[in-house]
Structure formats: C-alpha cells, structure tokens
Amino acid sequence: MENKIHNNRYLKIAIGLVYLWFGVLKFFPNVSPAEELAVNTINQLTNFLIPSNISIVLLALWETLVGLFLILGLQKKNTIRVAVIHMLLTFTPLYFFPDLIFNDTILSLTLLGQYIVKNLIILGALGILWIEVKEKSSVAQKTEKNTLSSSLNLSKVLDYFNSDKRKA
C-alpha cells in the first residue's frame, strides 16, 4: 500500500508537470506548437463565441492550474475531474480536423495525431489517480461511520446507566 501511494504521488507530479509546462507555453503567443490547433478547436467547440486571444489564455490558465493543483495535491477529486474533461476535449480535433490528424489511412497518424492520441496514456493515469481518491474517500467514510457508531453506542450505555440512577 505504501509503495502504491508513493507511485501515485510520482504519477500526480509527472502529469502535473506536463500540464504546467504545456499550459505555461500557451501564455506566450506562438510558443506552443499546439496553439493553432487549440484555438481552432475552441473556435469549433464554442462556435467562435470566444475571441481567439482570450480562448488561448483561458486554456493556458486551465492547464496551468490543473498542473499546479496536481503537483501540490490540492482539490484532488475536482482537479482530476477537470483534467479528464480537458483530456476528452483534446480528442475533438479527430472529428473537426481529420485531415490534420490522419495521413492516408485511419491507422496512419500525423505527428499532430500522435500528439493527441498519446493523451490516452494521461487518461489512463488519471483513472488510476481517481481510483486512489475514491478508495481514500471510502476509507474516510467508513472511519467516520465507525466513529459515529461508537459514539452512539457509548451514548446508549450512558443512557442505560443514567436510567438506572434515576430508578434508584
């Protein structure tokens, strides 16, 4: 169990560093190799409602915060949820821009396609982190329930003795 916790800590840090790195790059115009694809994808997803210069900053903020929260272990459940939503959205270019993702066949990915498909690894890792968070939550709930149950039993014992004193 102890090794599992340490391994998952390294997993959180590794994913967090990737998010942080890719997010920070997007704060600087024309530095991220994914900037154009990201802007075009957001435009498609929002039907061009968000101006490109704002959408890329929002994405940079999103990715940077996910990275920091994973590294620091803050808001674990919510951070994993937000990261999974982000990861799922990274697959939308497969639908919107197939000519940029695939070469001659569906099995032949461009470099951009490989960049997107590698996110399956991050999704799998986030799944492992989710299981850990759920297990810890389950253990905490059981402990809380046992504590509550113990205090209720103690309350019954005290009530029993108090009722004996009243009769006497």
Side-chain angles (χ1 to χ4, degrees), residues 12-14 18 21-22 24 34 39 50 54 74 77 87 116 121 123 126 137 144 150 154-155 162:
K12 282 180 219 164
I13 292 170
V18 170
W21 189 336
F22 288 10
V24 168
V39 166
I50 303 173
I54 294 176
L74 304 173
K77 249 186 202 181
M87 279 295 114
I116 292 169
I121 297 167
L123 266 174
L126 289 168
S137 175
E144 185 178 311
S150 296
L154 181 60
S155 174
N162 284 335

Side-chain angles (χ1 to χ4, degrees), residues 35-56:
E35 181 178 344
E36 184 179 351
L37 178 66
V39 166
N40 291 337
T41 302
I42 294 169
N43 285 340
Q44 289 294 315
L45 287 169
T46 65
N47 202 23
F48 295 87
L49 291 176
I50 303 173
S52 298
N53 60 329
I54 294 176
S55 69
I56 196 66

